[in-house]
Amino acid sequence: MADKVLMKGNEAIAEAAIIAGCRHYFGYPITPQTEIAAYMAKQMPKIGGTFLQAESEIAAINMVYGVSSAGKRVMTSSSSPGISLKGEGISYLAGADLPALIVNAQRGGPGLGGIQPSQSDYFQATRGGGHGDYHLIVLTPASVQEMAELTIKGFELADKYRMPAMILADGTIGQMMEPVSFDFEVAPQIEKPWATTGTKMERKHNIVNSLYLDPATLEVKNIERYERYKIVEENETMYEEYMADDADIVLAAFGIAARVAKSAVNEARKQGIKAGLIRPITVWPFPKAPFKKAVEHCKAIISVELSMGQMIEDVKLASEMKVPVTLTSRVGGMIPTPNQILEDIKKAAEGGR
Amino acid sequence: MVVFEKPKALTDVPFHYCPGCTHGIVHRLVAEVIDELGIEGKTIGIAPVGCSVMAYDYFTCDMIEAAHGRAPAVATGVKRADPENHIVFTYQGDGDLASIGMAETVHAAARNENITIIFINNAIYGMTGGQMAPTSLPGQVTQTSPYGRNTDLCGWPIKVCELLSELDGPEYLERVTVNSVAHVRQAKRAIKKAFQNQIDNKGFSLIEVLSSCPTNWGMTPEKALKWIDDAMIPYYPLGVYKDRSAQKKEA
Ligand SMILES: Cc1ncc(C[n+]2csc(CCOP(=O)(O)OP(=O)(O)O)c2C)c(N)n1
Ligand code: SF4
Ligand SMILES: [Mg+2]
């Protein structure tokens, strides 16, 4: 194991992207993710890569579209208001079956909102965010180490399935410092025979496109894409279970909320309450299996979120509401304390149902 | 005998353009230039959203369809993906380039992005059925200016070459048209220069082509070509608006 370095989560994403072979980064300044651009601005020129500050998030995502069309690994990062602007481009990436990595260090919304951490872009990320039928692979790191690991994973999955992937992080993990190891195995990049790199007069022209004026053709394109999504759901769903096996009260939480939830689980166990945690690591595809298993033995599920209750809808679907599913949350940049969660665990354990 | 052949850089797919539309002539000129410069194998074209959206089916080089107005940003990505080996052009209408995509246009020019832009100014939104464009002339009747473009209400047309010529960034800006044989020849010279500049790593070249839309202007093809002379050229004078390399030589 190589040495660990102390790093901010945002910087870990940037370094991991470079390790993954990403040589093109486009962004537009917004808090709380500016460290990614700053890191890229410093490193890219040293390794023959491209860092470009675009005129807007719209331009940045379309530059990503261009590099991806040409078959190269490429990324952009932003925070909530900027991701909304990227929505158009993300839909086009999905429609043209282009891989790319998009980082959203979420902040409170709606509108200009605030600059403190949030998870209120869950719907936007897991339901696509732009127009049309599509999904992104959405990865939710809960530590600086995972910021790095899931960045590599994001590039690999995006290329493999020809679809954009998103790191759905938040301001806290982005700016928190933790030791991180970059001792990864990076798989060799796959061939992209579909890329527009010039025909070299050796093949028929490649076309990158999302326009299909014939409805029957467009329907087939959509159905084929969803068949691919099904394979992603079967093979790439990721989650962590923490003391969930015998739990009476199961918490569901991702990212920074999962860290607080874990502390609450530990405290509850100390007080003799059998609490556990299911932490989705991919929120699309959403891990349904652990919830199906949990409802066989638990009394209640609590979705712990930094939103007014977004992931809870997926938790309800996955658990088929076989036990009560409630929400514990703070919003606007506020974070629930382990105590707040513990109180709700106690209430649920006392059979508030 | 001169044999009039289809350029190699055009596919066999028949153009869908209306009779008398000059989009087709400009496609042909671009293809001839690609042939003459021998760059088909390394060229990547970017089609806009507009009547020329299907340009990706017409050129034999690799093609990309961009979102409405975003072609210069997409081109920036494609060019920077492999600057040594990619020749990149965008082909855009006036709604695309001068309205929704104005920011992308201005900033690509300001960066002197080493790309070539073919800009079709037909003073109208052709594809959506003839709405007022940022380039529609004062008094011009369109579907969304049924009483004529009222400059008090909706402002003045945007002169793209003049506007961009104020920037330090761009290498080459020229306005041409294709409504006569002589004008077509000049347009081809300009387009060729715009590609040659890219090959020579000189940077951003934009060729604005005053183009006809007989369908949405409500004119016969002949009248439309004449309207370019009578109404468009007086407002949008033809000529070179910026040629940085030539300016340098003079200095
Ligand atoms: C975001 C978005 N807004 C609007 C449209 C609808 N639309 C399609 S083509 C077009 C105008 C094209 O006009 P122009 O760029 O002048 O090209 P022309 O058809 O005249 O060649 C518009 C507004 C769209 N496709 N996408
Ligand atoms: S609508 Fe106008 S611009 Fe479009 S193809 Fe017809 S004549 Fe040409
Ligand atoms: Mg037009």
Side-chain angles (χ1 to χ4, degrees), chain A residues 212-231:
Chain A
Y212 299 93
L213 287 175
D214 171 40
T217 310
L218 182 55
E219 183 180 48
V220 168
K221 281 276 160 194
N222 274 281
I223 291 170
E224 281 172 359
R225 194 166 297 119
Y226 270 70
E227 276 161 9
R228 195 153 19 105
Y229 291 167
K230 214 169 186 177
I231 301 171

Side-chain angles (χ1 to χ4, degrees), chain A residues 90-121:
Chain A
I90 294 173
S91 168
Y92 275 72
L93 286 166
D97 298 316
L98 291 174
L101 189 73
I102 301 141
V103 178
N104 181 2
Q106 297 168 91
R107 54 188 253 185
L112 199 46
I115 57 168
Q116 297 303 322
S118 164
Q119 297 181 327
S120 52
D121 301 344

Side-chain angles (χ1 to χ4, degrees), chain B residues 93-95 120 122-126:
Chain B
D94 40 6
I120 304 298
N122 57 9
I124 201 101
Y125 282 70

